[in-house]
Amino acid sequence: MADREEDEELQMALRMSLQGSPPAQPEPKRSKPPAPESPEAEARRKQRELMAAAAEKRLRSFGSPAAKPAAVPLAPSSPQLQPAAAEPAPVPVVAKEEEKAEPEPTEVPMEEAKGEVKEVEVEEEEGGDEGEEVPLDVAENLWAMVFGNGVSKAVLAQWSNQGIRFSSDPETTMGLVQHEGGPCGVLATVQAYVLKYVLFFSEELGNPEANDPLYTLGQRRFYQSSFAAGDDFSSLTDERKTRALVHAMVEILFLCGTGERAVVASIACVNRGKMDAVLEGLSFESATDLQKVLRTSTVTSRKDAFNILLANIPLFESRLGAMLFLISALFSRGLEHIQADRDDPSQPLVTAPFGHASQEIVNLLLCGEAVPNVFDGKMDLGGGMSLKGIPNNVEVGFLTLLESLNLCKVGQYLKSPKWPIWVVGSESHYTVLFALNPNVQEENELEERESKIRRAFDAQDQSGGGGFISVEGFQQVLRDTNIIFPSDKLEDLCNAGIIVWSEFWHALLQLDKRAGGMKDPTGLMGKKQFTIYHFNGIAKSVLNGNANIGSSSPIQRPRLCKLNVTVPPRWTQDEYLADVVSASTSGSKDDSVLSLAPPVQTSQHAPLVDCIRTRWPRAVCSWAGDVPSIV
């Protein structure tokens, strides 16, 4: 009710300021409360308030009387400026449908208002809605959850000086640039979703609801069967890149909000004309510093979220962009749900001492839950305890170098996402791997068979990803997959009391396909060839070993690397060597055996290749130019 009355008073104040007439009395209060404002009506009201205030300021500066809302007392005026005691001009009643019409500020002489019109236009462009303040106790919980106690100034500087901005280089123009260490987990995950829209939804970027799951489901069926994207990224316009970014942000935030809501974090009192100056003076060293300027807007419509984020893109491009988006995701999920997702909520989400984004942050943006592990589902530890992994299928996936070092096990949900895009993790950095054609994930009959067996094995694996199961679990795997081992082979496998995946897999390669194994008499076991791309967004100065001490090399630019990948038939190197030795001993030469061997000599190696092989075992990779880097 009060908002409606204030709206009407502001409208009359603006009319009187433009007409040079004394303020009219407000209309009598209505007996019935008005209907709640829509977001569009609220935005228009805020714009009218700003315009009225600016008009009042202009006319006051030139010695003219200005009307003010009734809630603010009028300042004393000099006698010569008092209006004559005349009957005020009648104020026309504004019909409900006419409320959309904006007052005409052009009635103010342009020579008088010239210096102020620009300010009004800038404020109107921003919409005037700053969002809601965050209570201090909530800000303190947020700060402790993200940074913990005793966070260093260096870590805070990393997270408060990283915007979400695209590269200016034509060949990497679709990529987000990272200047600071730490926030790469946020940037790489957002990048993965941006690529989803750039590659596979390019024609739908103008649709604010293209990120709706029901919409993408229908498109996915089409693209996965017949579509391959192009790699001419230099043709992307700024508008299309921005829209792809906004779509990505909307999808992630609604994923965190279980599809029901999104919370957008912003900074108070920031408009485009003054943003750089305001942000330059901001310093975040405590929850109190953050609480003073942090504002949030909650929406339940994807279209509303799209419009709010699009209007705030300059803010997310600013030095606070990565941190504001992380806060948006945390609030969209809900701080209490974030803590419930985690196995150890006492540890900060930004890890000490280097300020890297934790796996929980990456998983939150990938699957909507801040779970700490990368295996599928939950792992029951007994006694009512369990470890939380990825709950369901994801749009974009995740691969990690740590799996190649046997330090973890990535589940099929992350290895086989709905789109051929993966965040790649190393010990200290996150990058992105992607293919232009979804067909790279299609499996032939034997690949599907292996995937089914692996899922059944992992379902019985209670070792935390160690790759072994109990005899009882092994018996269940055999039943679930219809594998029939000869009794002597079965006894050998179970003799140690545990069954290791590598031994199980080796036995499957020797077991005929008709008995549920993987041995194929034809020797044709699904060779693949495809192209894949790797993007590393890091762009920082690095010391040049050939330069003098104290000098630095030119800035390292983001890099896009094209890799040719060949996945040979399913044949282990150990098996091949054993067969070669056997053939040499017997004096025979089995060309079929030699043809199945992976062409190891032609393969180039880098840590990225080890990551790729966790998804496509025995993959052979080659590229032109410098070695692709995941650090």
Side-chain angles (χ1 to χ4, degrees):
M1 182 68 177
D3 291 341
R4 187 56 175 258
E5 292 171 2
E6 184 180 358
D7 186 15
E8 295 168 351
E9 292 167 2
L10 287 168
Q11 289 183 33
M12 287 187 290
L14 182 59
R15 290 193 188 90
M16 293 302 100
S17 66
L18 297 179
Q19 295 172 3
S21 303
Q25 295 297 321
E27 294 180 358
K29 295 182 178 180
R30 294 183 174 92
S31 58
K32 294 183 179 180
E37 283 185 317
S38 66
E40 292 80 8
E42 182 180 0
R44 289 195 299 273
R45 175 173 62 79
K46 292 289 187 179
Q47 292 174 353
R48 289 194 293 272
E49 289 177 10
L50 292 170
M51 294 177 68
E56 175 189 347
K57 178 180 176 182
R58 291 199 302 271
L59 294 178
R60 262 208 322 268
S61 65
F62 290 102
S64 301
K68 291 187 178 182
V72 182
L74 288 171
S77 303
S78 57
Q80 65 269 27
L81 295 179
Q82 292 293 339
E87 195 71 21
V91 179
V93 177
V94 181
K96 187 172 183 179
E97 58 269 20
E98 294 176 351
E99 290 180 1
K100 296 182 179 179
E102 299 290 350
E104 291 290 336
T106 53
E107 295 182 32
V108 179
M110 291 305 295
E111 62 273 11
E112 295 181 359
K114 184 177 181 180
E116 298 290 335
V117 169
K118 183 177 181 180
E119 176 184 346
V120 174
E121 290 176 348
V122 170
E123 298 289 355
E124 179 183 359
E125 189 177 32
E126 293 300 316
D129 186 4
E130 295 181 355
E132 299 179 359
E133 293 187 10
V134 176
L136 181 58
D137 61 330
V138 175
E140 290 173 343
N141 290 338
L142 172 68
W143 186 273
M145 180 186 300
V146 176
F147 296 114
N149 298 320
V151 59
S152 68
K153 290 185 178 180
V155 170
L156 293 178
Q158 289 174 354
W159 281 88
S160 58
N161 287 285
Q162 179 60 65
I164 304 177
R165 296 186 295 272
F166 284 98
S167 168
S168 59
D169 292 344
E171 63 271 20
T172 59
T173 186
M174 82 304 162
L176 302 176
V177 183
Q178 181 188 350
H179 296 285
E180 298 289 338
C184 56
V186 173
L187 291 179
T189 313
V190 173
Q191 175 72 75
Y193 280 92
V194 168
L195 286 169
K196 168 187 168 180
Y197 288 97
V198 167
L199 297 177
F200 305 116
F201 291 86
S202 179
E203 300 304 318
E204 289 78 29
L205 291 178
N207 180 3
E209 297 178 339
N211 48 63
D212 186 280
L214 295 178
Y215 181 88
T216 59
L217 179 63
Q219 294 298 313
R220 185 184 306 120
R221 292 195 184 103
F222 168 73
Y223 286 135
Q224 286 188 330
S225 63
S226 60
F227 183 82
D231 60 355
D232 183 16
F233 302 118
S234 62
S235 63
L236 284 172
T237 64
D238 290 342
E239 179 185 4
R240 298 183 72 79
K241 289 188 297 182
T242 298
R243 286 187 169 272
L245 174 59
V246 174
H247 277 299
M249 296 168 77
V250 171
E251 180 170 2
I252 294 173
L253 295 184
F254 268 92
L255 181 65
C256 296
T258 64
E260 298 178 355
R261 69 167 189 168
V263 179
V264 180
S266 60
I267 298 297
C269 302
V270 173
N271 59 42
R272 294 181 185 177
K274 303 177 181 178
M275 181 184 301
D276 292 339
V278 172
L279 296 183
E280 184 67 26
L282 289 180
S283 175
F284 298 106
E285 298 183 3
S286 67
T288 304
D289 294 338
L290 182 64
Q291 188 269 341
K292 289 178 182 178
V293 296
L294 185 63
R295 300 293 183 267
T296 61
S297 301
T298 303
V299 294
T300 57
S301 162
R302 290 175 182 264
K303 184 176 181 180
D304 290 344
F306 184 93
N307 292 333
I308 289 177
L309 286 165
L310 185 62
N312 281 281
I313 279 298
L315 182 58
F316 285 100
E317 291 176 335
S318 76
R319 69 180 183 89
L320 298 179
M323 185 167 69
L324 285 176
F325 187 71
L326 173 60
I327 292 173
S328 300
L330 294 172
F331 277 140
S332 295
R333 176 64 176 157
L335 301 188
E336 66 285 353
H337 290 108
I338 295 290
Q339 295 295 70
D341 292 339
R342 308 173 66 196
D343 287 341
D344 186 2
S346 65
Q347 298 298 316
L349 291 170
V350 171
T351 61
F354 302 111
H356 297 145
S358 65
Q359 189 66 47
E360 293 157 313
I361 289 178
V362 175
N363 285 350
L364 172 66
L365 306 183
L366 287 175
C367 74
E369 297 183 15
V371 294
N373 302 297
V374 291
F375 51 72
D376 293 343
K378 291 184 178 181
M379 181 178 296
D380 186 8
L381 301 179
M385 299 181 63
S386 63
L387 298 176
K388 306 180 189 73
I390 306 300
N392 44 44
N393 291 323
V394 294
E395 293 290 311
V396 296
F398 179 77
L399 303 174
T400 175
L401 182 65
L402 300 182
E403 182 175 9
S404 69
L405 301 175
N406 294 321
L407 297 178
C408 69
K409 174 63 182 176
V410 179
Q412 289 302 309
Y413 288 151
L414 291 177
K415 280 187 178 177
S416 302
K418 297 175 183 177
W419 300 99
I421 306 166
W422 296 265
V423 176
V424 176
S426 67
E427 302 97 325
S428 60
H429 189 46
Y430 292 98
T431 54
V432 180
L433 187 74
F434 63 96
L436 304 180
N437 195 328
N439 291 338
V440 301
Q441 295 212 98
E442 291 184 357
E443 296 181 327
N444 58 35
E445 179 185 358
L446 289 177
E447 288 174 324
E448 291 177 355
R449 175 68 176 160
E450 181 193 355
S451 297
K452 180 180 179 180
I453 296 172
R454 184 74 211 216
R455 284 194 297 269
F457 187 93
D458 290 344
Q460 302 298 323
D461 186 354
Q462 302 300 315
S463 65
F468 60 87
I469 61 178
S470 65
V471 173
E472 292 78 11
F474 181 55
Q475 295 291 346
Q476 185 61 48
V477 171
L478 298 182
R479 288 191 293 269
D480 292 342
T481 56
N482 297 318
I483 296 174
I484 304 174
F485 277 113
S487 57
D488 57 337
K489 189 61 179 179
L490 185 62
E491 184 177 350
D492 290 341
L493 288 171
C494 299
N495 189 43
I498 61 171
I499 290 82
V500 180
W501 168 258
S502 59
E503 295 178 356
F504 179 37
W505 173 248
H506 190 269
L508 285 173
L509 288 172
Q510 297 175 337
L511 183 65
D512 192 89
K513 178 181 176 182
R514 291 169 294 184
M518 304 296 292
K519 187 175 182 180
D520 182 9
T522 66
L524 302 175
M525 304 186 73
K527 182 178 180 179
K528 284 186 175 182
Q529 289 182 320
F530 55 88
T531 301
I532 203 163
Y533 294 79
H534 178 255
F535 175 74
N536 188 345
I538 194 71
K540 61 182 180 181
S541 295
V542 294
L543 291 179
N544 187 343
N546 298 323
N548 295 327
I549 297 176
S551 65
S552 63
S553 66
I555 291 180
Q556 175 186 341
R557 297 184 180 276
R559 185 177 175 220
L560 181 67
C561 181
K562 179 179 179 180
L563 298 94
N564 298 313
V565 180
T566 300
V567 182
R570 294 180 178 277
W571 193 266
T572 67
Q573 184 70 9
D574 290 342
E575 243 190 346
Y576 165 65
L577 292 176
D579 284 337
V580 169
V581 171
S582 176
S584 301
T585 303
S586 63
S588 64
K589 294 183 180 181
D590 190 342
D591 292 337
S592 65
V593 171
L594 297 177
S595 66
L596 291 172
V600 177
Q601 298 300 322
T602 62
S603 175
Q604 294 175 270
H605 187 264
L608 176 62
V609 177
D610 293 329
C611 296
I612 292 174
R613 286 176 177 169
T614 65
R615 173 61 180 84
W616 292 280
R618 299 167 301 281
V620 176
C621 303
S622 62
W623 55 85
D626 296 336
V627 176
S629 173
I630 59 174
V631 297

